Amino acid sequence: MHITVNASAHDISTETLDAALVELGFTSPAIATAVNGQFVPASARGATILNSGDRLEVLAPMQGG
Amino acid sequence: MRIYDADISVPMFLGTAQYPSPAILQQAIRASGCEVVTVSLRRETAGGTGAGFWDMLRATGARILPNTAGCHSVQEAVTTAQMAREIFATEWIKLEVIGHADNLQPDVFALVEAARILTADGFKVFPYMTDDLIVGEKLLEAGCKVLMPWGAPIGSGQGLRVPDALRAMRAHFADVPLIVDAGIGRPSDAVQAMELGMDAILLNTAVAKAGDPVGMARAMALAVEAGRAGFAAEPIDRRDVAVPSTPVLGLAELM
């Protein structure tokens, strides 16, 4: 399944968001996710099914002003 | 100063970006004594290091104020705020909705709309705004309990471009915490903001990009303290002519 992860094209074999994060190597506990511009809480990742063409954003803490 | 659920004693919020090193950032936070630091969210890389930065910042003990920097629409800002709440485990959000790419001026219409959505969702919103009274009223109506007018464009170091507007905000919003966010360049700007009766300043570039960030953090902390004490001590009015300070009574006639 082709999805876009942080603006890069990826081909993944898993379906749920939490499995996709593992497959993509996002193992840090300090991440937050959004699919197609909508926030997906950590508690909902297991029940969130990704579809081909979805845009996944994975964000982490960063310096800011 | 009480803001939402927190009592803040040092009237200075510090941004965490652009420091020469994480160690200097930590030292700057310590040198200023500031209790609130701003952070952001950016794209994580696989096996990335965002967690390391977060652990380092938590070790400082400072309260975290996440921002929505770089957001240009209501939806981007709202989604970013929701993601920040989960990662940083705080309802505080510095709400930025940028309207102009060159001067990073906030889009106050989108700002008010986003503030309304976020406060209804339980957020405690710190809105980065222009120095406009009506925008301030709309933000308070939207549920904000603090206002953060700009002093000058972000990162410009120009100081307070329109002190009269900030003075008007102080008079109009007598009981609302006001924080000058953006534009502070030098300690004298920080003093001026506090002498105008602002409750605090929020700054980043002026400290992070100074030749000695730790020294500047300390200088800024002294400046806000001096300005706040000066405002509380009620400065004299300016006069157009000199008034002798030494008594005239009893002056000898020596001619």
Side-chain angles (χ1 to χ4, degrees):
Chain A
M1 168 166 59
H2 296 287
I3 64 169
T4 304
V5 182
N6 289 350
S8 297
H10 282 267
D11 207 5
I12 59 169
S13 57
T14 43
E15 284 196 333
T16 63
L17 176 53
D18 59 351
L21 291 172
V22 173
E23 182 181 342
L24 291 162
F26 291 109
T27 52
S28 166
I31 55 170
T33 51
V35 175
N36 300 327
Q38 299 295 320
F39 170 56
V40 179
S43 59
R45 288 178 195 155
T48 298
I49 305 297
L50 294 173
N51 297 296
S52 191
D54 276 353
R55 289 176 296 110
L56 169 61
E57 291 284 343
V58 183
L59 304 189
M62 189 61 61
Q63 294 84 346
Chain B
M1 161 183 52
R2 185 157 186 88
I3 301 182
Y4 291 111
D5 50 340
D7 286 312
I8 309 291
S9 57
V10 176
M12 176 172 149
F13 294 10
L14 196 58
T16 57
Q18 307 183 83
Y19 291 81
S21 72
I24 290 178
L25 163 61
Q26 281 180 306
Q27 290 169 38
I29 293 170
R30 207 173 302 127
S32 66
C34 85
E35 299 152 275
V36 181
V37 295
T38 58
V39 296
S40 195
L41 288 179
R42 286 293 179 266
R43 283 171 170 162
E44 174 74 310
T45 50
T49 56
F53 168 69
W54 173 218
D55 287 341
M56 181 274 284
L57 213 53
R58 254 189 306 205
T60 67
R63 186 180 276 263
I64 302 296
L65 176 57
N67 69 27
T68 62
C71 292
H72 287 255
S73 69
V74 172
Q75 192 198 325
E76 284 175 298
V78 168
T79 300
T80 301
Q82 292 168 331
M83 297 172 89
R85 177 165 63 180
E86 181 174 86
I87 285 189
F88 297 111
T90 177
E91 290 167 331
W92 282 21
I93 190 77
K94 173 184 161 179
L95 182 59
E96 292 183 37
V97 187
I98 300 302
H100 195 288
D102 286 345
N103 67 357
L104 300 180
Q105 179 166 346
D107 174 346
V108 295
F109 302 96
L111 178 69
V112 171
E113 188 182 340
R116 193 171 289 125
I117 293 168
L118 290 171
T119 51
D121 191 20
F123 282 90
K124 296 179 168 67
V125 176
F126 293 65
Y128 164 62
M129 60 182 290
T130 52
D131 50 20
D132 186 285
L133 295 181
I134 309 307
V135 172
E137 286 186 351
K138 299 292 181 191
L139 286 166
L140 296 180
E141 284 172 21
C144 297
K145 307 289 188 200
V146 55
L147 298 174
M148 300 209 299
W150 66 350
I154 293 171
S156 70
Q158 293 178 14
L160 310 183
R161 290 214 296 200
V162 193
D164 283 344
L166 297 174
R167 193 176 288 115
M169 286 193 71
R170 180 69 292 163
H172 193 70
F173 302 112
D175 300 322
V176 179
L178 298 178
I179 301 173
V180 170
D181 177 9
I184 299 290
R186 294 156 184 260
S188 52
D189 304 327
V191 172
Q192 186 186 17
M194 298 306 292
E195 282 185 2
L196 287 169
M198 299 293 109
D199 293 283
I201 61 168
L202 195 165
L203 76 174
N204 189 156
T205 307
V207 170
K209 303 299 274 186
D212 172 6
V214 179
M216 187 58 78
R218 192 177 298 115
M220 289 292 186
L222 292 168
V224 291
E225 199 52 53
R228 179 163 68 175
F231 176 73
E234 301 177 11
I236 63 166
D237 293 329
R238 291 181 196 274
R239 289 168 171 152
D240 290 335
V241 296
V243 179
S245 48
T246 303
V248 177
L249 189 67
L251 188 65
E253 289 185 29
L254 301 174
M255 285 291 282

